[in-house]
Structure formats: structure tokens, C-alpha cells
Amino acid sequence: MNKPKVLFVSQEIDPYLNTSPLAFLDKELPQYTQEHGKEIRIFMPRFGNVNERRNQLHEVIRLSGLNIVIDNQDHPLIIKVASIPAVRMQIYFIDNEDYFTEKLDVTDSNGSLIQDNDERMMFFTRGVLETIKKLAWKPDIIHCSGWFSMLVPFYVKRTEFRNNPFFMESKLALTLYNDDFGEMLATNMAKKMKADGGTQKDWRFYKEPTYLNIMKAAINYSDAVILASDKVNPELIDFAKQNNKDIVEYTPDNKEFCEKINEYYDSIIEIEED
């Protein structure tokens, strides 16, 4: 029997970056999932404040080298990996010298959103999906966590990736958390994304790229939302309900929560016989 495959796309994972409780859940959930009979792959951005030396990141030459075009500019894709030996997990990092050099994550030293976060998100998303193609690894479920990962559903469902055999049958789940930001991403974000696919109906979400609009777009293209806080914006929960998305309710105990999420995974994965 083939093991079910779950792809985790996370904004931050402990111990590499832990600015919120989400980083700890995003370590424990893949670990629990792997220990309970599933094959996993984990991706996060190689933000500049991830300490490469201390965490022993190293480049994977065979996966690096592809150029990703964002707003008519080529940006080389660099893939790095690191391991958490205690839990036998390998983490893939998406890196690029144009987007992830400064020792920051999604905000600057004043706490404001970094100006080119829209392009960084696009690069991260495309980088993950292109790397999965190179790995020839077909995920049954793609689970996105943190707003920086929330372009994945659009790219999987509304661009050329939707016709790729590695993603055509993938189910999409999102972790919703209380990570609202009050600013707006670049106002020309929709224009940049048009080069990758979609329609006017899709781009409407990104014409005013607020936190709520970006998250609503992600929910729109997904199958389920995982509520990872009791303070998730109620407008997003209502949007998910109105669009008939599966909802996994929040449980404060991480172990119980991981168990509940995996029970949901099992309910939507079709296990194929060898």
C-alpha cells in the first residue's frame, strides 16, 4: 500500500524561525503526520533571519538553478535543506539573493511589511511547486500555513500547475491563525500575477491585496480550513462556511489538534493499493 503524501508549506518552523506559536505547531504537525504512517515534505522561505550556519543549511545543487520570472525579471531559484535530527525531519528552504538576503522575515526593522512581499510570496510559491516537480513527488494533500504561503492555492488551481499530474488531484488545506496585518501589499500585485494565469474573477482578490482579500482567495481555491486559534478573524470563518469549505475546529492542546487534523487527512485521502 502506498503511503499517503502530505506537503507542508509553512511561513515559519521552529527552530529555524519562531516568531509566533504557529512555528511550533508547524513543527509538531509534520512530525505527528510522519509518525502516523504518512510521507511528508516540508518547505519554508529561507528568510534572511534564518541562521544558516547554526542550523546547518546547505544547498542542493541538483534542485537549484531554475530561473523564475517575476514581473518580467529572472530570479534564480536556490534550494537549501536542513534536518531536525531528533525528529528525523528534513526541511527544504526556498532561497534567492534578490528576495531573502536582508536579515528580516516579512516585516522591516520598524515592523512595517516589506515592500516587495508580493513578489517574494510569488517566488516562494513557484519555487515550492517547481521543486516538487523536480522531486517527482505527488502530494495527496497540500497544507499551507501562515499568510506568506497563501498564494499556493491560486497557483495550484488557477495556473499551469493545475494541469500538471503532480498537482491535479491534490487536496488543499489552510491553517488560519490570528496573523492579520493592517497594511496592503503592492497595489500592482494583480498585474504581476496575470502573467502566470487566472481570470478577471481570480484577480479581483489581488487588486486590493489586504490580509483579508489574500486569505479569502486562498480559502476560495482550497478544500478545507484548519482553525489554529480561537481568535481567527470571524469574517474568514464566515467566508469559509459560505463557500462550503470543510472546517477543522481549534483545539488548544497541540497533540490532540495534530490527531484531529490527521483524522481529517485520512477522511479525504484515497489510498491506492500497490
Side-chain angles (χ1 to χ4, degrees):
M1 183 178 294
N2 293 326
K3 283 187 176 183
K5 296 180 175 66
V6 184
L7 168 62
F8 292 96
V9 186
S10 300
Q11 182 169 324
E12 57 179 301
I13 301 168
D14 179 68
Y16 307 106
L17 193 63
N18 47 23
T19 64
S20 78
L22 204 57
F24 299 95
L25 177 62
D26 284 1
K27 174 186 173 183
E28 293 179 30
L29 178 58
Q31 178 185 350
Y32 184 97
T33 301
Q34 179 174 257
E35 290 172 350
H36 287 75
K38 298 176 182 66
E39 190 176 328
I40 65 170
R41 294 288 186 274
I42 311 168
F43 284 80
M44 71 170 279
R46 206 291 297 167
F47 289 123
N49 53 0
V50 173
N51 191 309
E52 290 198 48
R53 180 174 296 181
R54 184 175 67 231
N55 292 301
Q56 299 182 5
L57 274 67
H58 63 273
E59 185 176 351
V60 184
I61 302 298
R62 69 181 179 88
L63 297 176
S64 301
L66 179 74
N67 279 352
I68 292 179
V69 179
I70 306 291
D71 198 24
N72 297 316
Q73 298 292 321
D74 283 345
H75 302 277
L77 173 64
I78 301 170
I79 306 297
K80 296 177 180 176
V81 299
S83 297
I84 308 177
V87 294
R88 296 183 294 108
M89 291 198 311
Q90 187 177 66
I91 316 295
Y92 291 88
F93 293 84
I94 300 297
D95 197 4
N96 172 265
E97 292 182 358
D98 299 322
Y99 293 130
F100 300 113
T101 300
E102 293 187 62
K103 294 188 181 300
L104 304 166
D105 42 68
V106 297
T107 57
D108 62 23
S109 57
N110 297 316
S112 299
L113 290 176
I114 293 174
Q115 268 193 329
D116 62 351
N117 268 339
D118 61 326
E119 295 187 12
R120 299 167 87 219
M121 291 172 68
M122 294 164 68
F123 183 87
F124 174 57
T125 300
R126 295 265 305 279
V128 170
L129 300 179
E130 293 292 353
T131 304
I132 288 297
K133 286 166 55 179
K134 280 196 172 186
L135 290 169
W137 194 80
K138 183 180 178 182
D140 296 290
I141 293 175
I142 302 174
H143 189 154
C144 305
S145 182
W147 65 262
F148 197 85
S149 70
M150 291 299 164
L151 293 184
V152 171
F154 167 78
Y155 275 91
V156 168
K157 294 298 185 182
R158 303 304 297 162
T159 71
E160 62 182 24
F161 292 103
R162 67 178 175 175
N163 297 317
N164 188 288
F166 289 112
F167 307 109
M168 287 173 64
E169 298 175 6
S170 299
K171 301 291 186 180
L172 281 141
L174 310 176
T175 296
L176 298 188
Y177 188 67
N178 58 327
D179 57 349
D180 303 40
F181 55 80
E183 303 167 68
M184 189 182 296
L185 299 185
T187 54
N188 61 345
M189 182 175 179
K191 181 180 178 181
K192 297 173 188 176
M193 293 179 69
K194 286 181 181 181
D196 293 323
T199 65
Q200 291 290 348
K201 187 176 180 181
D202 301 309
W203 302 324
R204 75 188 191 279
F205 290 107
Y206 304 108
K207 287 182 177 178
E208 291 187 9
T210 61
Y211 173 84
L212 282 176
N213 284 342
I214 287 169
M215 300 302 282
K216 284 181 179 180
I219 294 169
N220 187 58
Y221 305 121
S222 297
D223 299 285
V225 296
I226 316 295
L227 304 182
S229 168
D230 56 3
K231 298 178 181 178
V232 173
N233 191 308
E235 188 173 336
L236 295 180
I237 299 175
D238 289 343
F239 185 82
K241 290 177 179 178
Q242 291 165 10
N243 286 275
N244 301 312
K245 305 301 179 180
D246 296 338
I247 297 177
V248 178
E249 297 289 347
Y250 172 61
T251 301
D253 182 274
N254 271 5
K255 185 175 180 181
E256 291 181 14
F257 197 33
C258 291
E259 181 180 2
K260 182 187 288 190
I261 294 169
N262 268 267
E263 287 174 355
Y264 176 73
Y265 290 163
D266 292 338
S267 74
I268 61 172
I269 292 176
E270 293 184 10
I271 300 177
E272 298 179 358
E273 300 290 337
D274 286 328

